[in-house]
Amino acid sequence: DAGVIQSPRHEVTEMGQEVTLRCKPISGHNSLFWYRQTMMRGLELLIYFNNNVPIDDSGMPEDRFSAKMPNASFSTLKIQPSEPRDSAVYFCASSFLAGELFFGEGSRLTVL
Amino acid sequence: GQQVMQIPQYQHVQEGEDFTTYCNSSTTLSNIQWYKQRPGGHPVFLIQLVKSGEVKKQKRLTFQFGEAKKNSSLHITATQTTDVGTYFCARGSSNTGKLIFGQGTTLQVKP
């Protein structure tokens, strides 16, 4: 299995631009998570889906952030408009039946 | 609330010394998971503890779950340079799979 696949691995953009991060979970996993990691705030859970349905989005910072999971093999996290404080590593992870999380390599976002 | 507190935040040890990180919660934990993240890498699952008082070993790593299920610890015996990284505990939900991570303990090992 290829594991959780995220793209892009690195993105540098300017403030105000739209950013879209993509994730392909492990086939057969029924839960998908988006985390953000910074030095100051650690690993923060932004949102998670069970069976493609958003269950808890209380960690989404504000309306500029949105996440979708149109099918079991694809999810996106969108930031519009982006701000410098959004700079972080964004991880996608998937799991099966509340088991261990498998993380992707992460998307490192820099907003100038 | 749902937070888990980890201490210490950082630990520097000489290679061969032991290392312990602690994870504490004010509320009872359904289960606890431990992850390791190497510098520049992503978190990788180490183990899950479910039962009160549970102790599990993986080579030089020993994981414990407290009797009251409010704390957990990870102990590494005779650290090696390959143990360098950040160790996270995460509180889990038995039914939703939601995982909330602690702040992590970053381990540095001097050769």
Coordinates of all heavy atoms in Angstrom, one line a residue, chain A residues 1 6 9 23 30 35 37 41 44-45 48 52 54 56 58-59 68-70 73 80 82-83 92 100 108-109:
Chain A
D1 N 0.8 -1.2 0.0 CA 0.0 0.0 0.0 C 0.9 1.2 0.0 O 1.9 1.3 0.7 CB -0.9 0.0 1.3 CG -2.1 0.9 1.1 OD1 -1.9 2.0 0.6 OD2 -3.2 0.5 1.6
Q6 N -0.2 13.0 0.3 CA -0.6 14.4 0.3 C 0.1 15.2 -0.8 O 1.2 14.9 -1.2 CB -0.2 15.0 1.7 CG -1.0 14.5 2.8 CD -0.7 15.2 4.1 OE1 -0.2 14.7 5.1 NE2 -1.0 16.5 4.1
R9 N 3.7 18.9 -1.5 CA 4.6 18.7 -0.3 C 5.0 20.0 0.3 O 5.2 20.2 1.5 CB 5.8 17.9 -0.7 CG 5.5 16.4 -1.0 CD 5.1 15.6 0.2 NE 5.9 15.8 1.4 CZ 7.1 15.2 1.6 NH1 7.5 14.3 0.7 NH2 7.8 15.4 2.7
C23 N -5.4 15.2 -0.2 CA -5.1 14.0 0.5 C -5.8 12.8 -0.1 O -7.0 12.9 -0.3 CB -5.5 14.2 2.0 SG -5.2 12.7 3.0
N30 N -11.8 4.3 7.0 CA -13.1 4.9 7.0 C -13.1 6.3 7.7 O -14.1 7.0 7.7 CB -14.2 4.1 7.6 CG -13.9 3.8 9.1 OD1 -12.7 3.6 9.5 ND2 -14.9 3.7 9.9
Y35 N -4.7 17.7 10.4 CA -4.1 18.3 11.5 C -3.2 19.4 11.0 O -2.7 19.3 9.9 CB -3.2 17.3 12.3 CG -3.9 16.2 13.1 CD1 -4.3 15.0 12.6 CD2 -4.1 16.5 14.5 CE1 -5.0 14.1 13.4 CE2 -4.8 15.5 15.3 CZ -5.2 14.4 14.7 OH -5.8 13.4 15.5
Q37 N 0.3 21.5 12.2 CA 1.4 21.5 13.2 C 2.3 22.8 13.1 O 2.8 23.1 12.1 CB 2.3 20.3 13.0 CG 3.4 20.1 14.1 CD 4.2 18.8 14.0 OE1 4.5 18.4 12.9 NE2 4.4 18.2 15.2
R41 N 1.8 25.8 18.6 CA 0.6 25.2 19.0 C 0.6 23.7 18.9 O -0.4 23.1 19.2 CB -0.5 25.8 18.1 CG -0.7 27.3 18.3 CD -1.7 27.8 17.2 NE -3.0 27.5 17.6 CZ -3.8 28.3 18.3 NH1 -3.4 29.4 18.8 NH2 -5.1 27.9 18.6
E44 N -2.6 20.3 16.0 CA -4.0 20.6 16.3 C -4.9 19.9 15.3 O -4.6 19.9 14.1 CB -4.2 22.1 16.0 CG -3.4 23.1 16.8 CD -3.7 24.5 16.3 OE1 -3.0 24.9 15.4 OE2 -4.5 25.2 16.9
L45 N -5.9 19.3 15.8 CA -6.9 18.6 15.0 C -7.8 19.7 14.4 O -8.5 20.5 15.2 CB -7.7 17.6 15.8 CG -8.9 16.9 15.0 CD1 -8.3 16.1 13.9 CD2 -9.7 16.1 16.0
Y48 N -12.3 16.2 11.2 CA -12.2 14.8 10.8 C -13.5 14.3 10.2 O -14.6 14.8 10.6 CB -11.7 13.9 11.9 CG -12.6 13.5 13.0 CD1 -13.3 12.3 13.0 CD2 -12.9 14.4 14.1 CE1 -14.2 12.0 14.1 CE2 -13.7 14.1 15.1 CZ -14.4 12.9 15.1 OH -15.2 12.5 16.1
N52 N -16.7 9.6 5.0 CA -16.9 10.8 4.1 C -17.7 11.9 4.7 O -17.9 13.0 4.1 CB -17.4 10.5 2.7 CG -16.8 9.2 2.1 OD1 -15.7 8.9 2.5 ND2 -17.4 8.6 1.2
P54 N -18.3 14.9 7.5 CA -17.6 15.7 8.6 C -18.2 15.5 9.9 O -19.4 15.7 10.0 CB -17.7 17.1 8.1 CG -18.8 17.1 7.1 CD -18.9 15.8 6.5
D56 N -16.6 16.4 13.2 CA -16.2 17.5 14.1 C -15.3 18.5 13.4 O -14.1 18.1 13.1 CB -15.5 16.8 15.3 CG -15.2 17.9 16.4 OD1 -15.3 19.1 16.2 OD2 -14.9 17.4 17.5
S58 N -14.7 21.6 14.9 CA -14.5 22.6 15.9 C -13.1 23.1 15.9 O -12.9 24.2 16.4 CB -14.9 22.1 17.3 OG -14.1 20.9 17.6
G59 N -12.2 22.4 15.3 CA -10.8 22.9 15.3 C -10.5 23.8 14.1 O -9.4 24.3 14.1
K68 N -13.4 19.3 2.5 CA -14.4 18.5 1.8 C -13.8 17.1 1.7 O -12.6 16.9 1.6 CB -14.8 19.0 0.4 CG -15.5 20.4 0.5 CD -15.8 20.8 -0.9 CE -16.6 22.2 -0.9 NZ -16.9 22.6 -2.2
M69 N -14.8 16.1 1.6 CA -14.4 14.8 1.3 C -15.5 14.2 0.3 O -16.4 13.6 0.8 CB -14.3 13.9 2.5 CG -13.6 12.6 2.3 SD -13.1 11.7 3.8 CE -12.2 10.3 3.1
P70 N -15.3 14.5 -1.0 CA -16.4 14.1 -1.9 C -16.5 12.6 -2.1 O -17.6 12.1 -2.5 CB -15.9 14.7 -3.2 CG -14.4 14.9 -3.0 CD -14.2 15.2 -1.6
S73 N -11.8 8.3 -1.3 CA -10.4 8.3 -1.7 C -9.8 9.7 -1.9 O -8.7 9.8 -2.4 CB -10.2 7.4 -2.9 OG -11.0 8.0 -4.0
Q80 N -8.9 30.2 2.1 CA -9.2 31.3 1.2 C -9.8 32.5 2.0 O -10.9 32.3 2.5 CB -10.1 30.9 0.1 CG -10.7 32.0 -0.8 CD -9.7 32.9 -1.5 OE1 -8.6 32.4 -1.8 NE2 -10.2 34.0 -1.9
S82 N -5.6 33.2 2.2 CA -4.5 32.8 3.1 C -3.9 34.0 3.8 O -3.9 35.1 3.2 CB -3.5 31.9 2.4 OG -2.9 32.7 1.3
E83 N -3.3 33.7 5.0 CA -2.7 34.8 5.8 C -1.3 34.2 6.3 O -1.2 33.0 6.4 CB -3.5 35.2 6.9 CG -4.8 35.9 6.5 CD -5.7 36.3 7.7 OE1 -5.2 36.2 8.9 OE2 -6.8 36.9 7.5
C92 N -2.4 15.2 6.8 CA -3.6 14.3 6.7 C -3.3 13.0 7.2 O -2.2 12.5 7.1 CB -4.0 14.3 5.2 SG -5.4 13.2 4.8
E100 N -5.2 2.9 14.9 CA -4.1 3.8 14.8 C -4.2 4.7 13.6 O -4.8 4.4 12.6 CB -2.8 3.0 14.7 CG -2.7 2.2 13.4 CD -1.5 1.3 13.4 OE1 -0.4 1.9 12.9 OE2 -1.5 0.2 13.8
R108 N 3.9 21.4 3.6 CA 4.5 22.6 4.3 C 4.0 23.8 3.6 O 4.4 24.0 2.4 CB 6.0 22.5 4.4 CG 6.7 23.6 5.1 CD 8.2 23.4 5.3 NE 8.5 22.3 6.1 CZ 8.5 22.4 7.4 NH1 8.3 23.5 8.1 NH2 8.8 21.3 8.1
L109 N 3.3 24.6 4.3 CA 2.7 25.9 3.7 C 3.4 27.1 4.3 O 3.5 27.2 5.5 CB 1.2 26.0 3.9 CG 0.5 27.3 3.5 CD1 0.6 27.5 2.0 CD2 -0.9 27.3 4.1

